[in-house]
Amino acid sequence: MTALGLVGLAITLLGFFSTFDWGILPALIYVSGSTALLGWLLSRWSSRRMYLRWAIITVHLLTIGAAILDLALFSTVTWYAVFGSHILVWVVIVLLLLPPAGRWFSESRA
């Protein structure tokens, strides 16, 4: 997800610097902040601490929540927009909620 976030950040930066449209700036801040936060959480992956699992799930749910809020503000909420376009995020959440992930994160290697 972080790699896709970096691609999104590059596209947003390209859009901002090609037009200097200040309306793109909030999207730029959002994309860079969420990508940096997920990158930082992934750098701690090897610690296998329980809070890391829940932090990653929370960040992904907040990302989906922000997208749904954006869709609701512009009255474009559809099932595809909520589930289809965020399928990888939903897959990560489901995989992190499975019992094997719980066992893996409960065995700290710190």
Side-chain angles (χ1 to χ4, degrees):
M1 299 311 303
T2 304
L4 292 175
L6 289 173
V7 170
L9 180 61
I11 292 170
T12 308
L13 278 171
L14 181 68
F16 177 72
F17 285 117
S18 67
T19 62
F20 286 104
D21 181 14
W22 293 102
I24 298 176
L25 194 58
L28 180 63
I29 293 169
Y30 169 74
V31 169
S32 62
S34 62
T35 303
L37 181 60
L38 280 173
W40 180 75
L41 288 171
L42 286 176
S43 72
R44 306 222 176 264
W45 187 263
S46 63
S47 71
R48 296 170 67 165
R49 296 202 174 134
M50 187 62 90
Y51 78 89
L52 183 65
R53 173 187 181 204
W54 294 109
I56 293 171
I57 291 171
T58 303
V59 169
H60 282 303
L61 287 175
L62 287 173
T63 303
I64 291 173
I68 292 172
L69 179 64
D70 180 49
L71 293 170
L73 289 175
F74 293 104
S75 300
T76 56
V77 178
T78 62
W79 285 106
Y80 176 75
V82 174
F83 293 106
S85 62
H86 300 289
I87 191 71
L88 291 177
V89 179
W90 286 112
V91 167
V92 168
I93 291 170
V94 168
L95 289 176
L96 284 173
L97 289 174
L98 291 176
R103 286 190 297 272
W104 192 85
F105 277 100
S106 67
E107 300 170 4
S108 180
R109 293 192 302 173

